[in-house]
Amino acid sequence: MKDATLVNHPPQVEVPPDNHPVVAPIHQSVKFEFETVEETLRALRGERSGFFYARSSNPTTRQLELTLAALQGREDCMVCASGVAVVAQTLLSLTKQGEHLLCFVESYGPTRQLIRRVLGKFGVTHTMLSIEDLAGIEAALVARPTRLIIFESPTNPVNKIADIAAITRLARAHGAMTVLDNTFAGVHQHGRYDVDYYLHSLTKYISGHGDVLGGAVIANTALIRALRADFTVFGSMLDPHAAFLIQRGLKSYFLRYRAQSASAQRVAEYLVEQRGVERVRYPGLTSDPQHALARSQMSDFGGIVTFDLSGGAEAGRRFAEALELFAITPSLGSTESLVMPPQLLGSRDLPDELQRQAGIGPGTVRLSIGLEDPDDLLTDIGRALRAAGAG
Ligand SMILES: *Cc1c(COP(=O)(O)O)cnc(C)c1O
């Protein structure tokens, strides 16, 4: 065998069947082969287990999918290269020309843009309401056949809580499917509700370290099967190395989510007491207008704390710039704390009236609490508030 041949047919290292790695290896291979054409065909027909091409599936990504499905309390899952990819692929796969969907002002910006620009181009219409408007949801469902409702809880950026039981009941009664982007609540919450599809950005709490992008759709077997053929041709499969990093981050998911929730609770309680700080929104605050609903739906309230500075946008800018432990950057749920000042929070696709409906004011600031010592975070926040003329 010449060297050019050898490098393409390297020696196989066999691991004996009774000898297992404790951490699953990364199967960084696009292709998988069987010994015979017949076995290959049997695998493709689903008559035996095995892998063929990584755009359909790969053992490393499959391990992550099975873990996520179990945590969310459903049977199956597919992972994608990013959270936005999973939102796009799910909505493109579930809808067709002439159909109508319901969405909300309080949603992730790119999801709204996808619905308006991309689905709109293919003749899918939508009604956009406020997540608080249950009467409006019912009226919209009565007014016209609706394929699906896509919503979030807690919502971005002001932590409004969707009434999941009420929304899913209305959807069932009117033959609409429900798609819940559960990124903020994480993979361990909301599983007991009658939701058809759960979507996640794995980039946030699930991987947790801010070093990898990923997305997941989780549902029961038949519902995932309905998407699988389309997902294979959309083609944004998660890379096995990214899947390995996410699976690794997931091991500390519960410790991180709960520590971040506990620190966020302390930050929220501290902010409520500060001069120049208004309308602190954190679902764990007993003073939060939706605390009772949040308590009934959630066991942990997450790491996002949002509030308004009475000094407006300029105070928000000074506050964010004076913070030392918070990076001025989007995203959430990572080990470092992050801040979004008002200048970066407003969504360009929402006119002023809808921004107000979404709960975004001129002085709105969003914090994502990381894993730093909470005493240090409070000291940093106190100092930055004074620098911004508050506190
Ligand atoms: C971040 C986020 C997304 C998009 O995820 P990416 O992994 O950044 O593509 C979707 N929905 C929500 C609620 C998010 O916070």
Side-chain angles (χ1 to χ4, degrees):
M1 199 188 280
K2 299 233 166 56
D3 286 354
T5 307
L6 173 67
V7 293
N8 287 293
H9 295 266
Q12 300 276 319
V13 177
E14 298 289 345
V15 181
D18 65 342
N19 177 207
H20 309 290
V22 174
V23 175
I26 311 175
H27 290 274
Q28 194 74 49
S29 181
V30 170
K31 294 145 294 178
F32 294 81
E33 63 162 356
F34 296 95
E35 299 291 321
T36 66
V37 173
E38 181 50 28
E39 287 308 307
T40 311
L41 289 170
R42 285 187 59 225
L44 289 175
R45 289 193 297 259
E47 293 164 13
R48 59 158 295 164
S49 63
F51 297 88
F52 186 56
Y53 195 62
R55 183 153 32 69
S56 300
S57 194
N58 164 291
T60 309
T61 55
R62 191 62 187 148
Q63 184 186 42
L64 176 62
E65 289 172 346
L66 295 174
T67 315
L68 294 172
L71 289 172
Q72 190 69 83
R74 291 299 186 277
E75 294 163 352
D76 206 355
C77 169
M78 282 188 290
V79 288
C80 290
S82 72
V84 161
V86 92
V87 177
Q89 296 189 178
T90 301
L91 292 184
L92 281 167
S93 189
L94 288 178
T95 58
K96 62 175 189 282
Q97 187 177 28
E99 286 183 335
H100 171 253
L101 64 80
L102 265 185
C103 61
F104 299 94
V105 175
E106 302 91 344
S107 59
Y108 187 63
T111 299
R112 280 195 308 272
Q113 292 162 31
L114 174 86
I115 290 168
R116 283 182 159 158
R117 217 172 48 229
V118 183
L119 295 185
K121 188 167 69 175
F122 295 123
V124 176
T125 59
H126 69 273
T127 301
M128 191 163 75
L129 300 167
S130 167
I131 195 69
E132 294 168 290
D133 185 8
L134 284 176
I137 294 173
E138 178 156 31
L141 291 170
V142 167
R144 55 195 300 189
T146 295
R147 170 67 171 152
L148 62 86
I149 305 179
I150 178 162
F151 66 113
E152 301 170 20
S153 187
T155 67
N156 187 33
V158 300
N159 274 327
K160 289 190 195 177
I161 305 297
D163 187 337
I164 303 174
I167 291 170
T168 51
R169 204 177 321 112
L170 285 171
R172 272 296 166 243
H174 294 90
M177 307 197 89
T178 45
V179 181
L180 171 58
D181 181 336
N182 212 28
T183 299
F184 273 47
V187 81
H188 67 300
Q189 306 204 77
H190 298 158
R192 66 197 156 89
Y193 290 98
D194 183 22
V195 169
D196 292 309
Y197 291 100
Y198 294 86
L199 307 184
H200 287 275
S201 166
L202 307 176
T203 314
K204 315 292 171 56
Y205 293 105
I206 292 173
S207 63
H209 293 69
D211 53 8
V212 61
L213 286 159
V217 52
I218 303 171
N220 282 337
T221 307
L223 293 180
I224 292 293
R225 194 184 302 127
L227 305 179
R228 191 173 292 285
D230 287 350
F231 272 49
T232 301
V233 294
F234 288 142
S236 90
M237 192 46 168
L238 189 69
D239 181 79
H241 191 262
F244 171 82
L245 286 174
I246 295 166
Q247 180 80 54
R248 177 176 149 130
L250 199 48
K251 293 183 181 187
S252 60
Y253 167 79
F254 286 95
L255 293 174
R256 287 186 285 101
Y257 199 99
R258 288 180 179 144
Q260 287 167 317
S261 296
S263 293
Q265 180 81 30
R266 277 193 63 191
V267 167
E269 285 169 4
Y270 172 81
L271 284 168
V272 165
E273 301 296 324
Q274 305 305 307
R275 192 178 51 83
V277 173
E278 297 168 352
R279 196 192 60 141
V280 181
R281 285 301 304 260
Y282 184 69
L285 281 178
T286 50
S287 59
D288 189 276
Q290 291 186 292
H291 178 64
L293 179 61
R295 268 191 91 90
S296 73
Q297 297 187 166
M298 305 175 80
S299 53
D300 306 291
F301 301 114
I304 298 292
V305 180
T306 302
F307 60 97
D308 290 317
L309 284 169
S310 50
E314 182 52 20
R317 183 187 64 76
R318 276 186 281 138
F319 172 75
E321 289 176 357
L323 285 168
E324 283 175 1
L325 298 176
F326 292 73
I328 302 174
T329 189
S331 200
L332 59 122
S334 55
T335 58
E336 328 77 25
S337 290
L338 315 171
V339 58
M340 285 286 276
Q343 291 79 3
L344 299 179
L345 265 190
S347 304
R348 276 177 292 276
D349 72 309
L350 285 183
D352 287 353
E353 172 50 28
L354 293 185
Q355 304 251 16
R356 258 194 304 283
Q357 216 181 81
I360 305 170
T364 303
V365 175
R366 188 189 80 181
L367 299 177
S368 171
I369 304 301
L371 289 177
E372 301 90 344
D373 189 290
D375 291 336
D376 287 339
L377 293 180
L378 292 183
T379 305
D380 197 29
I381 291 169
R383 212 182 27 71
L385 283 175
R386 288 189 294 281

